[in-house]
Amino acid sequence: MAPLRTPGIRPRPTLRRRLDAASRRLFPAAGTTVLLLLAAAPLGLPGQAQAQPAVALACVFFWSLARPASMTPPAVFLLGLLADLLGLTPPGVSVLILLAAHGLAAGWRRALVQQGFLTVWLVFAAVAAGAAALEWAMVGLLSVRLLPAHDALLQFGLTAGLFPALAALFTQAHRGLADPDRA
Amino acid sequence: MIRPSIPMRQALARLVLPLFVMAGFALLLLGRADALLAERARMALADAVVPAFSVAGMPLAAARAALEKLRELRSLRADNARLRAENEQLLRWQAAAAALDSENATLKEALHWTPVPAASYVTARVVADAGGVYARAVLLPIGRSHGMTKGQVALDGQGLVGRVTELGARSARVLLVTDLNSRIPVALESSRGRAMSMGTNGPRPRLAHWPEEAPPVEGERVVTSAETNAFPAGLPLGTVRYRAGVPEVELAARLDRLDAVRLFDYGQRGVPPPEAAARLAERRGK
């Protein structure tokens, strides 16, 4: 049972209520999984191959900031593994990048939650640049080849550009669907 | 249950992230050491998602087909005129082809030519674009249970698409000729010079290693060569296009809108596809 954080009268924790709360707690990781699969689905959108790491990074960064209790290192590890298997990157590459993003978001959490969205976006853009560069370097190193840089640039642009839309969506979910206190 | 003290729990929580980062590095090394493991995991996942993707793709394909039809309706008159002109030209070619065919037959007769057996093929719908940021591949909903083998050659209506590199029970991944790891021995049709087509992840693979006395000529047709026994000779790849002084292959296959591919089994096992090659080297090392 979750410890009581705030004083007050609470409804009795029936099975249904506890299931409701658990599913709300699971929402960030489950939602990210669904989005990752959706990004790999045959939608025929341009730039879809680049959208997948973008979605993964945005999800992990946002939820690590907003609800670190629901985006834990084990969850990030599994999401990274899924991204690696779906995206044809050598296994471990997305795992390490997402864990790094999670670590940064968790470390800067206290400073970032007080800032406006623009600052968060700028910080995320910097993280996205680092992630794209890291992926470019790691995949290149593992395949012993100099990869074309425009793929990395496109990925960075898409990641930074998709973030506001995804963040707007997640903010809604954060306040409603994914809030365990609303169970 | 004994509950650890709060500082203890905080210390443990701080250890979780470094622990998983280490697990990530371990995974990286494991993937390097055993390419087969990663491939198996990948194809297990592909096997699991292929049915869902196939179903999900249907309404989208229908919508795209409807849009395409609307576009066709608008250009009906222009298309008609163009087709009529083309048809006239083709009829002339047909006469030429018939003449050449009979000439070919007599020449083969005179030379006691041994006929090449026709290759068997299956056709499969492309389920998903299975590439990533640094890979170009497509996913097919047929696999080992349909008698597929690795190294089968994939073509669309116009030309070479790629080769089957990963195989699951009911899914297969075709590495496209544009992928960075794709190396295809080709022949330049007018000079019969040999060259390599190297994928760059861009839309056009680059040509390399052509003979010095016969550089690729703009507009020349590029076909596969049987050099390494990986491909049969003469499959159309595309035409030579120079861009900024570098010869590239304008692909005949329409890789940006692949709906279905034909998979030919030529029984060619000369050069295993990239992933398999990595494993072979590993086995030799043992």
Side-chain angles (χ1 to χ4, degrees), chain B residues 119-172:
Chain B
S120 67
Y121 69 92
V122 289
T123 306
R125 214 156 47 79
V126 171
V127 164
D129 183 353
V133 179
Y134 299 108
R136 301 285 178 269
V138 291
L139 203 63
L140 307 177
I142 57 173
R144 212 174 285 118
S145 58
H146 304 85
M148 299 265 298
T149 51
K150 261 188 208 181
Q152 280 192 339
V153 178
L155 286 102
D156 75 349
Q158 279 85 35
L160 186 68
V161 167
R163 267 205 302 170
V164 174
T165 51
E166 289 177 29
L167 206 57
R170 53 169 179 236
S171 59

Side-chain angles (χ1 to χ4, degrees), chain A residues 47-85:
Chain A
Q48 214 185 327
Q50 279 78 15
Q52 202 178 1
V55 164
L57 195 71
C59 285
V60 166
F61 188 82
F62 182 90
W63 290 117
S64 301
L65 268 187
R67 203 179 291 285
S70 289
M71 190 53 88
T72 53
V76 176
F77 183 89
L78 289 178
L79 287 172
L81 193 61
L82 182 70
D84 275 334
L85 292 182

Side-chain angles (χ1 to χ4, degrees), chain A residues 14 36 41 64 74 99 133 138 177:
Chain A
T14 56
L36 274 180
S64 301
L99 279 172
M138 274 164 87
L177 215 61

Side-chain angles (χ1 to χ4, degrees), chain A residues 2-69:
Chain A
L4 298 179
R5 265 161 293 175
T6 46
I9 300 165
R10 274 162 197 285
R12 202 184 309 166
T14 56
L15 180 67
R16 272 184 59 181
R17 197 168 293 283
R18 266 186 290 171
L19 275 178
D20 191 3
S23 62
R24 280 165 197 267
R25 262 193 290 275
L26 278 176
F27 178 82
T32 308
T33 309
V34 170
L35 277 181
L36 274 180
L37 287 173
L38 215 65
L43 305 178
L45 301 174
Q48 214 185 327
Q50 279 78 15
Q52 202 178 1
V55 164
L57 195 71
C59 285
V60 166
F61 188 82
F62 182 90
W63 290 117
S64 301
L65 268 187
R67 203 179 291 285

